[in-house]
Amino acid sequence: MPVYKAPLKDMRFVLHELYDSTAIAELPGNADFTPELIDSVLEEAAKISEEVLFPLNQVGDREGCTYENGVVRTPTGYREAYRTFCEGGWTSISADPDYGGQGMPLTAAMMVEEMFCSANVAFGLYPGLSHGAYVALKHSGSEEQKKAWLPNIVSGKWTGTMCLTEPHCGTDLGMLRTKAVPNDDGTYSITGNKIFISAGEHDLAENIVHLVLARLPDAPAGVKGISMFLVPKFLPREDGTLGPRNGMQCTAIEHKMGLNGSATCAMSFDGATGWLVGEPNKGLAAMFKMMNTERLSVGIQGLGIAEVAYQNAVAYARERIQGRSLTGTKAPEKQADPILVHPDVRRMLLTSRAYIEGCRALAGWVARELEILEKSDDGDAKQAADDFASLMTPVVKAMFTDLGFEIASLAVQTYGGHGYIRDHGIEQYVRDARIAMLYEGTNGIQALDLVGRKLPQDGGRLLTRFLDPVLEFIDAHQDNDALAEFLPALSQALEHVQEATGLIMEGAMTNRDEVGAASVDYLRLFGLASLAFVWARMVAVAAPKAGEDGEEAAQFYRAKVQTAKFFMERLLPQTGALLAAIRSGAATMMEFEDAAF
């Protein structure tokens, strides 16, 4: 049976020591969120994750969801767990208090979300999609719509979805065909088919609020003619009670590689009543408020799965005995040594640890900037935060999910043949992690977004929001002995980013294929440099405390420095190879004859 223990110590390190949570408490509306309160919330989140959600993870995978005559039933225990989840206020943790939320800072809420993803990512999709719908309505809905719909979504009484994909179009939403015809009463009749709708139908909540992209009769072609509509499963009456079933139905659920506890639905809308959200033909911009939130959440899914997979790999490596250490027996009282002694096993575990802790620190930085964007009253600070979050969204989504899959695979490799057996529960993490690289925009699309849109935007202003803090840090710590062996590697990685950026921008002027050919390599290069920076920052915090009183505390900080050293020496050098690949250009892939594939 797999194990999971929330990594509270590392989360507190990121929140309080690396980024100083007291500064977040100074933002408007955050005064009550002291470090002590945040810690108590994290502890309660750990309890529900470990005791309620995690025990259902394998149950959900084995049973999956069932579909019969338009009705979808979730796995055993999900309904009770969802009720407990809502009663604990976890659906409302970061939502606006005006709509019944708790207003928890995003820096803490993102850590809570990671725990839920580690414990049971399939279950977490139900409230996760609801939060995305909340974000879209909060930013684009009318005051009347927000008052009517958000309190029930925030409480978890109702859930939400996003309905974009159609059988013939996924990424290219300009081809969507779902129609919205105006009615005399100001509503619209929505007709069309959507596929791959997570949580599109289920038995957890009494109503489901679908945010549907559709075209008005006079809409221009392409993405400039898309509008967003609010289409509930049941139509509410004026007194707030639920009325008749709307004109929609789940026609099937997908049988998937993983995430079996999450219902992925095909939805048919047949004259369903909907309300326009935002302006006509501006639906894509409104939906992207939700999409960007979901992309960050999907990145956290990758991180969450990586963490639980790593924990199980470590536990197995301590217990499993096979062979003897290359440098002499380490456990003479046993028939063989624990596999933890073998260099290749340690390579896999340290690779996983270095990526996980680096990604958690990077997520904390992004969450901090999002908190400033949401709550600060300083216009310049909000603009800088918006720039940074926009730049990092594709990096977090793509790199975290790539690494989540890689680390889950390393966990299986650590187990050997036993990892491939379902009873151990490790192969599930590989299957569950794989979808995160696909949905909310494939990772190739994220790379194109970074290179094709974010880098050139406003003359490269977004990129400076990353480069400037890194350069300032390097300059400020030139005389810091603790960082003497780390800064040269960070500086070189930064040089690789700058050279690669110049090559891509120069190549794009003559051949746009150069952008596409370099995009995936560039995103990984940029992501590795980002991790190098946060690792250097962690060393600056941890190194002075590595000799603190108390062996446990000192060991934690020593491990930080040692893990940083492993990252800089064994993982960061990939940036050189990635730069070499980018230098090679698009020719080798684009000149290959189509007929030869």
Side-chain angles (χ1 to χ4, degrees), residues 139-381:
H139 282 88
S140 302
S142 66
E143 288 302 316
E144 182 180 5
Q145 288 173 337
K146 287 187 276 191
K147 290 178 181 178
W149 300 91
L150 288 185
N152 283 329
I153 294 175
V154 168
S155 71
K157 186 177 182 180
W158 298 351
T159 61
T161 77
M162 52 194 297
C163 297
L164 290 76
T165 306
E166 298 183 4
H168 62 284
C169 73
T171 301
D172 192 354
L173 290 171
M175 296 194 297
L176 72 80
R177 299 170 184 162
T178 300
K179 298 178 180 178
V181 178
N183 297 322
D184 293 338
D185 61 359
T187 64
Y188 295 80
S189 292
I190 311 298
T191 301
N193 296 302
K194 300 287 184 177
I195 62 169
F196 302 159
I197 308 306
S198 297
E201 177 64 34
H202 56 77
D203 58 358
L204 301 182
E206 67 178 34
N207 203 7
I208 303 173
V209 180
H210 301 276
L211 294 181
V212 183
L213 293 186
R215 292 187 182 282
L216 293 166
D218 58 351
V223 295
K224 294 182 179 180
I226 297 174
S227 300
M228 185 165 75
F229 298 87
L230 187 158
V231 188
K233 176 180 175 180
F234 290 100
L235 296 168
R237 300 186 180 94
E238 291 186 7
D239 63 0
T241 61
L242 294 183
R245 176 76 181 244
N246 207 349
M248 70 175 73
Q249 185 176 15
C250 173
T251 56
I253 59 173
E254 303 294 344
H255 302 284
K256 310 188 295 286
M257 176 180 176
L259 288 189
N260 294 327
S262 170
T264 303
C265 304
M267 302 295 298
S268 176
F269 297 88
D270 186 11
T273 299
W275 288 264
L276 178 68
V277 178
E279 300 179 38
N281 304 322
K282 302 292 184 181
L284 201 57
M287 185 64 82
F288 264 97
K289 285 291 184 182
M290 182 179 190
M291 285 284 286
N292 285 334
T293 296
E294 292 303 306
R295 284 172 173 172
L296 292 170
S297 291
V298 170
I300 298 303
Q301 288 176 26
L303 175 58
I305 291 176
E307 172 66 34
V308 68
Y310 165 71
Q311 287 188 22
N312 282 274
V314 169
Y316 190 79
R318 291 187 188 280
E319 297 171 0
R320 177 70 168 174
I321 59 171
Q322 290 284 287
R324 291 298 187 183
S325 167
L326 298 176
T327 55
T329 298
K330 297 297 187 290
E333 76 283 3
K334 298 179 180 179
Q335 286 185 298
D337 288 331
I339 63 172
L340 185 62
V341 305
H342 301 308
D344 189 55
V345 172
R346 299 175 81 85
R347 174 192 63 82
M348 293 188 287
L349 297 180
L350 277 168
T351 296
S352 302
R353 182 189 183 101
Y355 281 140
I356 290 166
E357 293 185 10
C359 287
R360 185 175 294 122
L362 183 57
W365 185 12
V366 175
R368 183 184 178 88
E369 295 301 314
L370 287 171
E371 187 71 11
I372 293 170
L373 175 61
E374 184 72 17
K375 295 180 179 176
S376 176
D377 51 15
D378 181 331
D380 290 340

Side-chain angles (χ1 to χ4, degrees), residues 68-87:
E68 186 177 4
N69 297 326
V71 176
V72 174
R73 292 183 175 85
T74 52
T76 300
Y78 268 48
R79 293 184 68 183
E80 295 77 11
Y82 185 75
R83 185 162 56 247
T84 300
F85 195 85
C86 293
E87 289 171 354

Side-chain angles (χ1 to χ4, degrees), residues 385-438:
D386 192 20
D387 289 347
F388 180 77
S390 296
L391 176 72
M392 297 307 297
T393 293
V395 178
V396 169
K397 194 281 181 186
M399 185 175 70
F400 284 27
T401 58
D402 280 348
L403 293 178
F405 182 73
E406 290 175 22
I407 291 166
S409 183
L410 286 176
V412 171
Q413 192 71 20
T414 303
Y415 272 72
H418 289 284
Y420 201 69
I421 304 302
R422 179 164 293 189
D423 289 350
H424 290 278
I426 303 306
E427 54 82 35
Q428 181 187 343
Y429 296 125
V430 176
R431 292 186 288 106
D432 284 353
R434 190 61 182 87
I435 184 59
M437 301 161 72
L438 303 174

Side-chain angles (χ1 to χ4, degrees), residues 82 85 90-91 116 122-132 159 204:
Y82 185 75
F85 195 85
W90 298 109
T91 58
F116 296 157
F123 178 93
L125 286 180
Y126 294 98
L129 268 295
S130 298
H131 182 71
T159 61
L204 301 182

